[in-house]
Amino acid sequence: MSDTLDASPFLSKGGEITARYIRQVEGQGTFGNVRTKAMRTGDHMVLLEIEYPPEAGAPLHVHQHETICYVVSGKVRVTVGDDEFVMEAGDACTHPLGVPHGIRGIEHAVVLEVKSPAQKISEFLHISDT
């Protein structure tokens, strides 16, 4: 099988995407070294892979999109509205549009987040290389 079959506008290779640091979310500073990879951007959604080391995360904030989160590995503490819960590998939750939410790593975690409707990442995240 040829490697050229992998060259597709519909495919992202995780190993080829550089992780960058999230320094702010919705104008509020994150804590610790939260890193993200923008895996895919479509017309109606965005897929982010986010790493949360222990005690790193994002304070309560509100988005103008909804988010579905899926924990690939590790463990995080999540607040959505008045609810607080622990999520671990295989768990999923929703952050509804306009509802305050936040997340903090308990164990090193990798979380996939699907955001819709799609916004430019720069509209809700400030990311940097350091």
Side-chain angles (χ1 to χ4, degrees):
M1 184 178 279
S2 169
D3 287 341
T4 59
L5 292 178
D6 288 340
S8 168
F10 306 108
L11 174 69
S12 295
K13 295 279 200 168
E16 296 173 3
I17 299 171
T18 301
R20 299 182 70 203
Y21 293 95
I22 300 175
R23 296 303 183 202
Q24 291 183 357
V25 58
E26 298 293 355
Q28 298 182 56
T30 56
F31 39 93
N33 286 317
V34 179
R35 295 185 339 152
T36 188
K37 289 183 178 182
M39 297 301 297
R40 296 293 305 169
T41 301
D43 293 334
H44 304 286
M45 66 185 100
V46 173
L47 174 63
L48 300 177
E49 177 186 281
I50 305 175
E51 291 182 56
Y52 295 98
E55 298 304 318
L60 286 176
H61 59 278
V62 175
H63 292 302
Q64 297 308 306
H65 55 254
E66 70 177 334
T67 302
I68 295 176
C69 298
Y70 177 80
V71 179
V72 175
S73 63
K75 192 180 291 188
V76 292
R77 179 171 310 282
V78 177
T79 302
V80 179
D82 294 331
D83 293 347
E84 186 173 306
F85 42 87
V86 172
M87 295 175 60
E88 53 191 41
D91 294 345
C93 75
T94 302
H95 302 158
L97 182 146
V99 174
H101 59 278
I103 186 168
R104 178 184 296 258
I106 296 172
E107 298 173 354
H108 187 273
V110 174
V111 177
L112 294 178
E113 293 191 2
V114 177
K115 299 176 177 295
S116 181
Q119 289 179 265
K120 290 181 182 178
I121 293 171
S122 62
E123 291 178 2
F124 61 95
L125 293 180
H126 177 263
I127 55 177
S128 73
D129 294 326
T130 59

